[in-house]
Amino acid sequence: MSRVYNFAAGPAALPLEVLQQAQAELVEYPGLGMSIMETSHRGKVYDAIHEEAQANLRELLGISDDYAVLFLQGGASTQFSMVPMNLLTPGTVADYTNSGAWGGKALKEAKKVGQVNVAADCGKEIPTRVPRPEELRLTPGAAYVHITSNETISGAQWKVFPKTEAPLVADMSSDILSRPFDVNQFGLIYAGAQKNLGPSGVTLVIIRKDLAMRAPETLGTMFRYQTHIDNNSLYNTPPTFGIYILMLVTRWVKGQGIEALYKRNVEKAAKLYAAIDSSEGFYKGTAVKEFRSDMNVTFRLGTEDLEKKFVAEAAAAGLTSLKGNRSVGGIRASIYNACPMEAIDTLISFMGDFAKANG
Ligand code: PMP
């Protein structure tokens, strides 16, 4: 086998065991005589997968019956609109935090729907960071407060979530299932699947059920959370194969244990940051230390030419997709749950050799 160490930001590396099981079941799912892709989303076999995916998430995150677990489409980007369309009713104000590229996009879409207060703005700061909970200037009686738990591009992450009176809404696309947290602190959580949950094409939404009732009557059926709650995410045809893979990933996470995964994620990130910080300035981290992401490790080299050389030589050594997002440049190592410790150790060893040869 010649699988590389894949540091892509998303779609990202999936656990090998999951891919192997999907491969084994691809042509003929046990007892079905066909693949999962070819079977009805209203049949018994798919139903068991759909239910297990939800049950695994409920168990892993301790999600109570007050919340619905939904599998939607359109990516996290669609949630940037769907959240305000459902929750930001006329006459109310939503508090948004601008923490970078993704928080900024969520904010931009909310402004198209209703009245928005920017509760904190560090979106353009360098080094990059997210707001501190105590910095938030919140609106009394706000419809909700929106945060981006991990800024995938800048590599900055909320370490402590703010305690808010208004329902807290979080884009957790790039760090869901990477660490334990209290779902009850949130009104709504959304995440595109393609980092820690499965393939692209599925969007996870965890919503406190009472919030879905706010949506105006005029809102289209597919855009209402209530539609998907009432129909158990089966109002229309869901992305069945993606949900099947998500189910296998959640099974894998259960096998690992979320606390153990968290411990390993912290250790992986700490090792990489230590390699950056001990490079005598050859590598420079781009995020403020206290906010450094455990999922997306971002750094720069002395020149863009040197960064190009780093990315190319790393790829030749089997360490792929280390190029930073096109909007910011630099280097980004995305090290989600499925990224093994060996990938980190190999990258650190490569970084040492590269610094020696080019320093
Ligand atoms: N939010 C965050 C934090 C992301 O990282 C991404 C994608 N990388 C998005 C939103 C957009 O997700 P999608 O492509 O699924 O719309």
Side-chain angles (χ1 to χ4, degrees):
M1 205 187 297
S2 56
R3 275 174 64 82
V4 294
Y5 289 129
N6 175 10
F7 294 95
L14 287 167
L16 181 60
E17 298 95 306
V18 166
L19 296 176
Q20 285 171 332
Q21 179 158 359
Q23 180 183 41
E25 298 175 343
L26 183 68
V27 173
E28 202 178 324
Y29 189 81
L32 188 61
M34 64 179 95
S35 83
I36 278 297
M37 274 180 279
E38 301 165 292
T39 198
S40 169
H41 58 293
R42 308 208 182 273
K44 262 198 192 133
V45 173
Y46 175 72
D47 185 57
I49 288 168
H50 196 83
E51 293 298 323
E52 185 183 337
Q54 290 175 349
N56 289 350
L57 286 163
R58 283 192 184 276
E59 185 182 327
L60 283 165
L61 295 173
I63 305 170
S64 79
D65 288 342
D66 293 343
Y67 292 80
V69 176
L70 307 177
F71 301 126
L72 307 184
Q73 300 184 64
S77 301
T78 297
Q79 294 308 307
F80 294 163
S81 301
M82 238 174 115
V83 166
M85 282 157 76
N86 281 267
L87 306 187
L88 183 49
T89 47
T92 65
V93 177
D95 287 328
Y96 271 74
T97 52
N98 183 7
S99 47
W102 296 113
K105 280 196 172 164
L107 167 64
K108 182 175 158 215
E109 295 304 315
K111 280 182 178 164
K112 294 184 186 183
V113 176
Q115 213 184 323
V116 171
N117 166 53
V118 181
D121 190 349
C122 52
K124 295 231 153 46
E125 284 182 29
I126 290 179
T128 55
R129 68 179 185 99
V130 298
R132 294 185 178 85
E134 64 273 18
E135 286 174 325
L136 304 188
R137 295 177 307 274
L138 299 173
T139 310
Y144 59 90
V145 180
H146 184 280
I147 65 168
T148 308
S149 63
N150 183 67
E151 282 286 354
T152 322
I153 292 178
S154 72
Q157 185 176 33
W158 286 82
K159 300 295 173 179
V160 180
F161 295 125
K163 292 224 158 51
T164 56
E165 217 141 279
L168 186 58
V169 174
D171 174 359
M172 289 200 186
S173 292
S174 49
D175 66 355
I176 190 138
L177 290 192
S178 71
R179 53 175 165 173
F181 67 94
D182 182 10
V183 169
N184 296 312
Q185 215 182 313
F186 295 85
L188 190 153
I189 293 163
Y190 61 92
Q194 62 269 24
K195 296 144 199 322
N196 262 340
L197 294 171
S200 59
V202 187
T203 313
L204 171 67
V205 172
I206 301 166
I207 179 172
R208 216 177 68 206
K209 289 174 191 162
D210 61 294
L211 295 176
M213 294 174 199
R214 285 192 196 172
E217 284 299 320
T218 50
L219 187 55
T221 306
M222 274 299 284
F223 304 112
R224 309 171 74 86
Y225 291 119
Q226 194 63 52
T227 299
H228 302 290
I229 295 173
D230 292 344
N231 293 279
N232 190 24
S233 303
L234 291 160
Y235 174 76
N236 72 327
T237 318
T240 52
F241 191 73
I243 294 168
Y244 158 70
I245 300 287
L246 181 147
M247 183 278 283
L248 292 180
V249 170
T250 54
R251 246 190 221 173
W252 178 84
V253 173
K254 271 174 58 177
Q256 305 281 311
I258 205 157
E259 289 284 351
L261 270 176
Y262 175 52
K263 208 169 145 239
R264 199 174 76 195
N265 286 333
V266 169
E267 191 186 337
K268 278 154 49 185
K271 269 192 187 183
L272 256 183
Y273 288 119
I276 290 166
D277 293 339
S278 64
S279 70
E280 291 169 359
F282 187 83
Y283 302 108
K284 287 188 200 67
T286 57
V288 173
K289 278 190 185 169
E290 71 176 283
F291 300 106
R292 280 174 162 179
S293 170
D294 290 333
M295 297 284 101
N296 310 96
V297 175
T298 50
F299 56 98
R300 302 221 60 141
L301 280 71
T303 65
E304 283 181 24
D305 281 347
L306 203 52
E307 289 172 345
K308 259 191 207 142
K309 190 171 181 221
F310 178 93
V311 170
E313 288 185 15
L319 301 156
T320 68
S321 303
L322 283 161
K323 191 166 181 257
N325 186 276
R326 60 200 143 94
S327 62
V328 294
I331 310 293
R332 170 176 57 180
S334 297
I335 54 171
Y336 304 115
N337 284 347
C339 171
M341 192 62 81
E342 305 85 73
I344 305 293
D345 293 335
T346 310
L347 174 58
I348 290 171
S349 158
F350 171 83
M351 286 167 69
D353 293 345
F354 188 85
K356 246 184 237 145
N358 297 277

